[in-house]
Amino acid sequence: MSNSNSKKIILSEQDMPKQWYNIQADLPESLEPPFNARSGKFATKEDLCQIFPKSIVEQEVSAERFIDIPQEVREIYKIWRPSPLVRAAGLEKFLDTPAKIYFKNESVSPSGSHKSNSAVAQAFYNKVEGTKRIATETGAGQWGSALAMACEMFGIECVIYMVKVSFEQKPYRKSLMQVYGAQVFASPSNQTEAGRKVLAEDPANEGSLAIAISEAIEDVINHKNTKYSLGSVLNHVAMHQTIIGLEAKKQLEIAGDYPDVVIACLGGGSNFSGAAFPFVMDKLQGKKPDLKAIAAEPSACPKLSKGVLAYDFADNSGFTPALKMYTLGHTFMPGGIHAGGLRYHGASPLVSALVKHKIVESAVVKQRAVFDAAVTFANTEGILPAPESAHAIKIAIDEALKAKEEGKSKTIFFNLSGHGHFDLTAYDSYLSGKMEDYDYPSEKVDEALCHLPKINL
Amino acid sequence: MSNSNSKKIILSEQDMPKQWYNIQADLPESLEPPFNARSGKFATKEDLCQIFPKSIVEQEVSAERFIDIPQEVREIYKIWRPSPLVRAAGLEKFLDTPAKIYFKNESVSPSGSHKSNSAVAQAFYNKVEGTKRIATETGAGQWGSALAMACEMFGIECVIYMVKVSFEQKPYRKSLMQVYGAQVFASPSNQTEAGRKVLAEDPANEGSLAIAISEAIEDVINHKNTKYSLGSVLNHVAMHQTIIGLEAKKQLEIAGDYPDVVIACLGGGSNFSGAAFPFVMDKLQGKKPDLKAIAAEPSACPKLSKGVLAYDFADNSGFTPALKMYTLGHTFMPGGIHAGGLRYHGASPLVSALVKHKIVESAVVKQRAVFDAAVTFANTEGILPAPESAHAIKIAIDEALKAKEEGKSKTIFFNLSGHGHFDLTAYDSYLSGKMEDYDYPSEKVDEALCHLPKINL
């Protein structure tokens, strides 16, 4: 039942999905398990339980297709969920395209991004298992603010290692985490051996998500009753985010539509997984074989498009088990693009497996083109997008213009993962004409790829 | 029909009110008209048409109870409206109060505040009458960003004079206006005679809404095809904002509830009017005689509580017609509190009339107590409130604690006029213990009241 006068398609709280979707049930082949480079063996559940609560580890390795969302998590989701699905009629008109463009607006969460979807779930499972303190890392700060708020709501202490370039570019994200009661350190910090080592070699180091992960994990190992929490990459995080795509499917059904193209930006992969997997499920199950699912990557850090598929560490120091993923190398330091959430060397093993099997594709965009798209979106749809989300907008615009060229209608769905109210220094830089573009840094990547862990399976 | 499991009560776009409520139809006595101090006569519609479009002037003086919301305005409202009504169950639980607390979440608009409700309407009426350029002032920047976005959507040029203290405290608000294509000057500026005069006397002047209004009006007078737009105080602005309370009434009806107390913060009065008038209507019409409607004011600028009811200018220089309102004097310079939107010397003539007749009451709160309430709210309801909105939260908490003391249930409704994602310097100042409190500045007010215009009616 389509209502052409509706701008937003709204689900009731009662219709909010009661289960997450676990794509591990539908993969063409099982994921290769994490590898513990120190022991020379595949990582066991026991290994993972040293830093994660047991229920999270169970989700990480589960092959169940649907997993219940606990009532307590659903109650907190209701603060902002179900989020609106929006028909981007203003953008369509501006582009003069025959394509229909829909986007899911995840910017309405209290932290301003999709990250809250997994933060609340992870805080809940930790609470149940008696965790008193959680350590994590954050890039652009979206994950940190989401986890800080979630921890506050469950009465858990929260310690955050924030990538230094973002800490400096986005001081307000740090303040938001502090309002939610978290302790925030610029990473590389002096709090950990890993941080001190980086600073000793390079005191001006701007940090990276991989370094910050090393610091957070070291913090967990050295503190009692403390667990680690990761905002992306891992299977359970991807699964928690599927609430986005599951809601969107219901909403598109209300609109009488189904996407031909699904687009989301990709940093570690949680946002892409959340938006795309419930649709990719239909492709994997043969119901929508021609679905295009596109992960939008920055030219400064294009792991799916230019990386190698190999076992690599999730962090900079090699604390974590190695994951089989597309990677630019765990020592790779991406340029300081404003989409801090996309500055990560590796892609989720789930997304990597889907790219390997050509179920999912990737597209690379440059920073200035991304901000062109962001400003076009703000001026036609009203909402100021996060720079990360604008990568998806750029690809959505390209797809809509292609439809126009081909004179074909097409349904495009993308995820607006967050708002840009914390990113106005980036917009300032764009408006003043001072924004740099970043080419693919092939030499830096070649160098980093030399440091992949040597794993003989 | 109450559903105790609902966190948010959502209206469909189809159920969004199709008319605004004009409280002029229900006042105990007609408003005293604006007075033109230069001509020594009451201001005529023709006077007002020099700076406003005709349809806006008609609304300003209309006695029609309900006025249609144009379809074009409703279409843009749908980007974020109807906004959610939220049951603040987390806050209730924290306070352990028998009171029920509801709030309307206006922070979901693209500009992050309620201001978009009138901005879109005003840009539309200007567009219809051929205005090419709109000049305005902004305090904290909420109004400026709302109008910039609205003008962009209707293809109108937008020039904004932004109070200097906010321009400096909130540079990101300025950038947001610029993304929406507006030109922004820190006020007092060198662009106008009014600004230059203030700067000549006091080069370090931090600005005030009253000075910025002078600058914007002077700009309008000196430019072709340019009209003025005000974000608060006037009757038509208050009316555009009633969409808030009208939606809330429908939503509370769905919840099977009706408020005993309605609370909103008051700067010029648009937010308070918007949230409260549709309920105050029931009081004026005898349907809810015991309704408490409370305007929350900062101790730094308490015009309703400590001002005088007199004719005074809306601006600092006396360009505008004088309005009959509660005022602290148009030359009064409030302290630099972080709730920039509440730093205005006068209160809307409509709200003033209702206070005079004891239909509406006011309450004064100090800055640190406001931020205590803001942080409590963020940590129990997840959403970071704007400092302005936190004035209402503080009073709502007081009312809920009173209900607890009295052991009585009570239904409290307040408006969350905006989010605090642009206000994190303020939160920083609070968290670091450096935030100042402001007492009622009685000497400065006494001095300012000497400069009220001499009007002999």
Side-chain angles (χ1 to χ4, degrees):
Chain A
M1 178 195 59
S2 170
N3 186 328
S4 64
N5 285 323
S6 290
K7 173 74 183 160
K8 302 182 297 309
I9 298 133
I10 303 287
L11 275 189
S12 71
E13 290 178 0
Q14 287 70 27
D15 290 334
M16 184 164 75
K18 294 185 175 58
Q19 300 184 305
W20 293 299
Y21 168 57
N22 178 14
I23 204 167
Q24 292 190 74
D26 290 309
L27 290 182
E29 58 179 335
S30 294
L31 278 190
E32 294 172 78
F35 190 85
N36 191 329
R38 261 167 294 185
S39 68
K41 294 178 188 162
F42 287 114
T44 62
K45 283 203 245 178
E46 288 64 39
D47 291 343
L48 297 174
C49 283
Q50 292 176 8
I51 56 170
F52 293 112
K54 203 161 157 273
S55 42
I56 291 281
V57 173
E58 292 296 342
Q59 290 185 352
E60 186 63 18
V61 300
S62 170
E64 285 290 310
R65 183 169 287 118
F66 290 99
I67 290 183
D68 287 348
I69 306 174
Q71 186 57 33
E72 293 86 342
V73 172
R74 286 169 49 80
E75 283 308 312
I76 297 186
Y77 276 180
K78 287 181 187 171
I79 290 176
W80 73 99
R81 305 210 71 86
S83 69
L85 179 78
V86 187
R87 176 77 184 266
L91 179 60
E92 289 172 18
K93 195 176 157 194
F94 174 80
L95 299 174
D96 187 24
T97 174
K100 288 189 273 184
I101 308 175
Y102 294 91
F103 65 92
K104 188 78 168 153
N105 184 1
E106 291 292 307
S107 78
V108 297
S109 91
S111 68
S113 88
H114 73 291
K115 290 291 188 188
S116 295
N117 298 324
S118 186
V120 172
Q122 293 193 45
F124 168 76
Y125 290 117
N126 272 287
K127 179 70 180 178
V128 169
E129 298 191 25
T131 306
K132 300 291 179 218
R133 184 172 175 277
I134 293 180
T136 196
E137 71 293 323
T138 194
Q142 287 110 332
W143 170 248
S145 12
L147 189 67
M149 179 215 143
C151 283
E152 178 69 36
M153 295 220 144
F154 286 109
I156 300 171
E157 214 180 305
C158 185
V159 183
I160 298 168
Y161 294 86
M162 182 175 187
V163 175
K164 196 184 273 170
V165 62
S166 293
F167 189 92
E168 284 161 2
Q169 271 178 9
K170 300 187 173 187
Y172 295 161
R173 277 281 178 195
K174 173 204 65 184
S175 312
L176 181 57
M177 297 176 222
Q178 290 169 336
V179 171
Y180 291 131
Q183 210 179 350
V184 189
F185 300 109
S187 167
S189 79
N190 279 313
Q191 299 293 311
T192 66
E193 195 54 50
R196 287 188 293 270
K197 192 172 158 227
V198 173
L199 289 174
E201 285 167 16
D202 175 14
N205 190 294
E206 284 191 306
S208 72
L209 214 44
I211 297 171
I213 294 175
S214 294
E215 293 209 86
I217 294 183
E218 187 182 329
D219 180 299
V220 170
I221 292 167
N222 292 330
H223 285 85
K224 272 193 306 189
N225 281 327
T226 299
K227 291 287 183 190
Y228 172 63
S229 178
L230 189 69
S232 193
V233 181
L234 298 179
N235 307 342
H236 65 278
V237 187
M239 185 188 75
H240 298 154
Q241 293 293 351
T242 59
I243 183 104
I244 302 170
L246 291 165
E247 283 182 7
K249 267 180 109 165
K250 285 189 166 198
Q251 289 163 311
L252 283 163
E253 204 180 315
I254 292 170
D257 238 324
Y258 192 99
D260 300 298
V261 191
V262 174
I263 305 160
C265 65
L266 183 134
S270 81
N271 170 59
F272 177 79
S273 305
F277 283 2
F279 297 97
V280 172
M281 174 179 82
D282 294 341
K283 187 170 184 174
L284 290 166
Q285 294 179 354
K287 293 176 195 157
K288 179 74 184 177
D290 57 345
L291 177 81
K292 268 178 88 168
I294 309 176
E297 304 191 288
S299 56
C301 196
K303 47 257 175 191
L304 290 177
S305 307
K306 306 271 191 176
V308 299
L309 182 60
Y311 267 102
D312 196 7
F313 298 119
D315 67 323
N316 175 268
S317 303
F319 275 139
T320 65
L323 302 171
K324 187 72 177 281
M325 59 183 177
Y326 279 97
T327 178
L328 300 170
H330 66 281
T331 58
F332 171 65
M333 278 289 302
I337 53 166
H338 290 282
L342 308 185
R343 292 176 73 251
Y344 184 65
H345 66 281
S348 132
L350 286 169
V351 178
S352 294
L354 292 163
V355 168
K356 173 190 168 194
H357 286 279
K358 302 195 190 310
I359 309 292
V360 162
E361 60 193 90
S362 64
V364 178
V365 282
K366 287 198 183 182
Q367 182 158 263
R368 280 204 298 263
V370 164
F371 277 82
D372 289 341
V375 171
T376 296
F377 184 77
N379 288 332
T380 54
E381 290 296 320
I383 304 169
L384 187 82
E388 290 83 358
S389 317
H391 286 69
I393 296 172
K394 163 65 178 150
I395 302 295
I397 290 177
D398 288 351
E399 288 287 325
L401 292 176
K402 215 183 292 173
K404 183 179 174 180
E405 250 178 55
E406 295 168 355
K408 278 198 275 192
S409 182
K410 178 154 68 172
T411 298
I412 298 167
F413 164 67
F414 73 88
N415 192 35
L416 184 77
S417 53
H419 70 57
H421 288 176
F422 289 106
D423 300 281
L424 282 151
T425 41
Y427 282 94
D428 258 354
S429 150
Y430 170 78
L431 291 173
S432 66
K434 286 180 197 145
M435 178 169 278
E436 285 178 67
D437 255 342
Y438 289 83
D439 286 316
Y440 168 62
S442 56
E443 282 176 28
K444 279 170 73 184
V445 173
D446 290 347
E447 155 69 18
L449 290 178
C450 295
H451 303 290
L452 288 182
K454 309 280 176 282
I455 291 175
N456 298 310
L457 294 181
Chain B
M1 179 195 57
S2 170
N3 185 329
S4 64
N5 285 324
S6 289
K7 173 74 182 161
K8 304 182 298 308
I9 297 131
I10 303 287
L11 274 189
S12 71
E13 291 179 359
Q14 287 71 27
D15 290 334
M16 183 164 75
K18 294 185 174 58
Q19 299 184 308
W20 292 300
Y21 168 57
N22 177 14
I23 204 167
Q24 292 189 74
D26 290 310
L27 290 181
E29 58 179 334
S30 295
L31 279 191
E32 294 173 77
F35 191 84
N36 190 329
R38 262 167 292 187
S39 69
K41 292 177 187 163
F42 287 115
T44 61
K45 283 203 246 179
E46 288 65 37
D47 291 343
L48 297 175
C49 283
Q50 290 176 9
I51 55 170
F52 291 113
K54 202 160 157 274
S55 42
I56 291 281
V57 173
E58 292 296 341
Q59 290 185 352
E60 186 62 19
V61 300
S62 171
E64 286 290 312
R65 183 169 287 118
F66 290 100
I67 291 183
D68 288 348
I69 307 175
Q71 186 57 33
E72 293 86 343
V73 172
R74 286 169 48 80
E75 285 306 314
I76 297 185
Y77 276 179
K78 287 181 189 172
I79 291 176
W80 73 98
R81 303 211 72 83
S83 70
L85 179 78
V86 187
R87 177 75 184 268
L91 180 60
E92 290 172 17
K93 193 175 159 195
F94 174 80
L95 298 173
D96 188 25
T97 174
K100 287 187 274 185
I101 309 176
Y102 294 91
F103 65 92
K104 186 79 168 153
N105 184 2
E106 290 292 307
S107 78
V108 297
S109 90
S111 68
S113 89
H114 73 291
K115 290 291 187 187
S116 294
N117 298 325
S118 187
V120 172
Q122 293 192 46
F124 168 75
Y125 290 116
N126 272 288
K127 178 71 180 179
V128 169
E129 298 191 25
T131 305
K132 301 289 180 219
R133 184 171 174 279
I134 294 181
T136 196
E137 71 293 324
T138 194
Q142 287 109 334
W143 170 247
S145 13
L147 189 66
M149 179 213 143
C151 283
E152 177 69 35
M153 295 219 144
F154 287 110
I156 300 171
E157 214 180 306
C158 186
V159 183
I160 298 168
Y161 294 87
M162 182 173 187
V163 175
K164 194 183 275 171
V165 62
S166 293
F167 189 93
E168 285 160 2
Q169 272 179 8
K170 299 187 174 188
Y172 295 161
R173 275 281 178 196
K174 174 204 65 185
S175 312
L176 181 57
M177 297 176 222
Q178 289 169 337
V179 171
Y180 291 133
Q183 212 180 348
V184 189
F185 300 109
S187 168
S189 78
N190 278 313
Q191 300 293 312
T192 66
E193 195 54 50
R196 287 186 293 268
K197 193 172 158 228
V198 174
L199 289 174
E201 284 167 16
D202 175 12
N205 190 295
E206 284 191 306
S208 73
L209 215 43
I211 296 171
I213 295 175
S214 294
E215 293 209 85
I217 294 183
E218 188 183 327
D219 180 298
V220 170
I221 291 167
N222 292 331
H223 285 84
K224 275 193 303 189
N225 283 327
T226 300
K227 292 287 183 191
Y228 173 63
S229 179
L230 189 69
S232 192
V233 181
L234 298 179
N235 307 341
H236 65 277
V237 187
M239 186 187 74
H240 298 155
Q241 293 294 352
T242 58
I243 184 104
I244 302 170
L246 291 166
E247 283 181 6
K249 267 180 108 165
K250 285 190 166 196
Q251 290 163 310
L252 283 163
E253 205 180 314
I254 293 171
D257 238 323
Y258 192 100
D260 300 298
V261 191
V262 174
I263 305 160
C265 65
L266 183 132
S270 80
N271 171 58
F272 178 80
S273 305
F277 283 3
F279 297 98
V280 171
M281 174 178 84
D282 294 341
K283 187 171 185 173
L284 290 166
Q285 294 178 354
K287 294 175 196 157
K288 180 75 183 177
D290 57 345
L291 176 82
K292 267 178 87 167
I294 309 176
E297 303 192 289
S299 57
C301 196
K303 47 258 173 188
L304 291 175
S305 306
K306 305 275 192 173
V308 299
L309 182 60
Y311 269 101
D312 196 6
F313 298 119
D315 68 323
N316 175 267
S317 303
F319 276 139
T320 67
L323 302 171
K324 187 70 176 284
M325 59 182 179
Y326 280 97
T327 178
L328 300 170
H330 65 280
T331 58
F332 170 65
M333 278 289 301
I337 53 167
H338 290 282
L342 308 184
R343 291 176 74 251
Y344 184 66
H345 66 281
S348 134
L350 286 169
V351 178
S352 294
L354 292 164
V355 168
K356 173 189 166 194
H357 286 279
K358 303 195 189 312
I359 309 290
V360 161
E361 61 194 88
S362 63
V364 178
V365 282
K366 289 197 183 182
Q367 182 157 264
R368 281 203 298 262
V370 164
F371 277 82
D372 289 341
V375 171
T376 297
F377 184 77
N379 287 332
T380 54
E381 291 295 322
I383 304 170
L384 187 83
E388 291 83 357
S389 317
H391 286 71
I393 296 172
K394 163 65 178 150
I395 301 296
I397 290 176
D398 288 352
E399 288 287 325
L401 293 175
K402 215 182 290 171
K404 182 179 175 179
E405 250 177 55
E406 294 168 357
K408 278 197 275 192
S409 182
K410 178 155 67 171
T411 298
I412 298 167
F413 164 67
F414 73 88
N415 192 35
L416 183 77
S417 52
H419 69 58
H421 288 176
F422 289 106
D423 301 280
L424 282 152
T425 41
Y427 281 93
D428 257 354
S429 150
Y430 170 79
L431 291 174
S432 66
K434 287 180 195 144
M435 180 169 277
E436 285 179 68
D437 255 342
Y438 289 83
D439 286 317
Y440 169 61
S442 56
E443 282 177 26
K444 279 170 73 183
V445 172
D446 290 347
E447 156 69 17
L449 290 177
C450 295
H451 302 289
L452 288 183
K454 309 283 176 279
I455 291 174
N456 298 308
L457 295 180

